[in-house]
Amino acid sequence: MNLDCEVASLAQRLVRAPSENPPGREAAAAEVLAEQATRWGLQVTGSEVAKGRTNVVIRLPGAGSAPSLVYCGHLDTVPCGDREWEVDPLSGVVRDGHLWGRGAVDMKGGLAAMLTSLAVLGGGDTRLPGDVVLAAVVGEEVDCAGSRHLSNTEIIDDAGWLVVGEPTGLDLVIAHKGAIRIELTVHGKAAHGAAPELGMNAIIAMARLLSALEIFPPTAQRHPLLGSPTASLNTIKGGTAINVVPDSCRAVLDVRTIPGAETDDILEAINETADHVRAVMPGIGVEAKILHERASVSTPPDHQLVRAAQHAASRTLGSHRPMRGAAYFSDASVLSPPRNLPTILFGPGEESFMHRPNERVSLTALSKAARFFATLPTSLFSLDLS
Ligand SMILES: [Zn+2]
């Protein structure tokens, strides 16, 4: 097969199969991937996540009983958006050596490279001791519905290693931050604005809570690749009228975590601060609700998977690649932590194009990524990393 042509053509067909999420209709993209995998003689199964939304699982069986290497990518994209594109975002046009369109970078390019690599491996003489599995999942851009479904299957039970093909500019991303969104609600007591002493002002209580709250004390640990955790107050709402003491106030914190800064620690900090506020404003109620939780992910730089990836990078990209962390989270947040699954992210395309107009991926990067993915299993299974 001509790898360069095949991977570019597959990525182009995936971009032309819209899978914007919301609303989350990945069927056309799933079909393109499954059809191509079948044509290449790979085993294809579908696993329905919700009506009309199916994870596609493509398997290259190995000859032994080693754990499988799982490649994972998401089929959905963010919406094309209202802002001006230089090209039709669903046209998949090739210009200046790049494939343009929504999902070219995030992450239909990565999916195309991973599937093409399975075809290359399947066409070769080497029989690997374990399976290589590509899990193409739905829903990553909204609620990770596809990876949550996948995490309860034997595909992850049987996995020894996970590679997520999100765009990394062909760097090895061995850690990424997690995200926790926390809704804080303060309950007070309404009163006439002319008699505030009869009420309990929920906005004042929220202000006290937020100004005293130290989710991450200055001594909080730093991760060598991810830096410090962060917390950002991004929405706040309270009060009903200009002459009524507000009886409730609601705020949402966007917290980005690193390994070791867990949800329980954060909730403890909130509860302690709420106690201080209640000490000066008795009767105030404080609730903290987790709206969304994605774990951070980290694999040691000397892990076998990372060493195998560097070996594959040297062979296919000409040199070792930088190892770094990423601020965004991925399906690995769902798939890795429950089983402590060693994980890296590696994929074609620059992160700066993610979720932006004029998203585009270089055809050279697509080819390089496909070669890397076709080499990694041999490096990993042989452990011949000399
Ligand atoms: Zn993505």
Side-chain angles (χ1 to χ4, degrees):
M1 73 186 282
N2 182 328
L3 179 146
D4 302 307
C5 292
E6 295 290 350
V7 71
S9 157
L10 176 56
Q12 183 178 53
R13 279 174 285 142
L14 285 168
V15 168
R16 287 175 176 170
S19 56
E20 291 168 284
N21 189 16
R25 290 194 203 101
E26 295 92 347
E31 179 103 11
V32 168
L33 205 69
E35 253 183 33
Q36 183 61 67
T38 305
R39 265 206 298 277
W40 278 334
L42 298 160
Q43 291 180 7
V44 183
T45 51
S47 182
E48 192 173 63
V49 176
K51 193 164 167 39
R53 306 184 72 189
T54 301
N55 287 346
V56 179
V57 177
I58 298 157
R59 186 179 296 270
L60 178 69
S65 57
S68 49
L69 168 61
V70 174
Y71 288 163
C72 182
H74 60 86
L75 290 158
D76 59 326
T77 68
V78 293
C80 296
D82 301 328
R83 286 173 55 205
E84 285 278 293
W85 285 64
E86 285 177 39
V87 301
D88 173 352
L90 300 175
S91 63
V93 70
V94 173
R95 187 199 278 182
D96 304 328
H98 287 71
L99 170 69
W100 292 57
R102 177 53 86 220
V105 163
D106 185 13
M107 56 163 285
K108 292 175 170 177
L111 277 175
M114 291 190 291
L115 180 56
T116 306
S117 79
L118 262 61
V120 171
L121 282 162
D125 300 329
T126 315
R127 292 302 302 276
L128 298 163
D131 296 358
V132 183
V133 178
L134 168 56
V137 297
V138 300
E140 192 267 354
E141 299 290 2
V142 171
D143 56 5
C144 293
S147 52
R148 286 190 285 120
H149 180 86
L150 178 70
S151 71
N152 295 316
T153 65
E154 61 188 19
I155 293 155
I156 297 299
D157 288 341
D158 297 343
W161 310 271
L162 175 70
V163 180
V164 177
E166 292 277 6
T168 66
L170 304 180
D171 292 344
L172 294 180
V173 166
I174 61 173
H176 69 62
K177 282 187 168 175
I180 305 171
R181 314 263 157 75
I182 304 167
E183 180 185 72
L184 296 174
T185 308
V186 171
H187 301 285
K189 188 174 150 201
H192 196 292
E197 68 281 5
L198 299 178
M200 195 88 71
N201 192 313
I203 293 177
I204 299 288
M206 179 67 91
R208 285 192 163 153
L209 176 70
L210 292 170
S211 62
L213 184 59
E214 263 194 357
I215 286 191
F216 302 116
T219 53
Q221 77 239 53
R222 284 177 59 82
H223 184 279
L225 297 178
L226 300 175
S228 301
T230 59
S232 181
L233 172 68
N234 294 341
T235 66
I236 188 161
K237 194 166 188 286
T240 53
I242 55 169
N243 55 357
V244 177
V245 174
D247 64 355
S248 94
C249 183
R250 179 179 166 276
V252 179
L253 286 167
D254 182 354
V255 181
R256 301 300 168 129
T257 60
I258 61 171
E262 312 297 342
T263 307
D264 288 352
D265 306 320
I266 295 164
L267 289 177
E268 196 182 311
I270 291 171
N271 286 333
E272 266 178 27
T273 313
D275 285 344
H276 296 315
V277 174
R278 273 192 294 264
V280 289
M281 297 181 75
I284 284 291
V286 178
E287 275 176 59
K289 183 175 159 198
I290 306 290
L291 299 180
H292 168 109
E293 188 177 12
R294 295 284 175 267
S296 59
V297 170
S298 179
T299 299
D302 59 350
H303 190 278
Q304 166 203 20
L305 173 63
V306 180
R307 287 188 294 127
Q310 284 294 19
H311 181 256
S314 295
R315 286 184 55 192
T316 56
L317 311 177
S319 64
H320 273 46
R321 296 298 300 165
M323 286 192 286
R324 61 180 177 88
Y328 62 79
F329 62 84
S330 76
D331 283 309
S333 293
V334 175
L335 299 171
S336 305
R339 292 171 181 75
N340 214 3
L341 198 55
T343 298
I344 59 168
L345 275 65
F346 175 93
E350 303 302 323
E351 286 156 57
S352 55
F353 281 119
M354 294 170 86
H355 301 193
R356 303 265 309 268
N358 300 320
E359 184 178 346
R360 56 191 182 271
V361 65
S362 100
L363 299 183
T364 311
L366 286 181
S367 296
K368 285 182 173 176
R371 289 192 170 86
F372 170 89
F373 289 128
T375 305
L376 177 63
T378 318
S379 298
L380 184 65
F381 284 120
S382 71
L383 283 182
D384 174 17
L385 304 180
S386 54

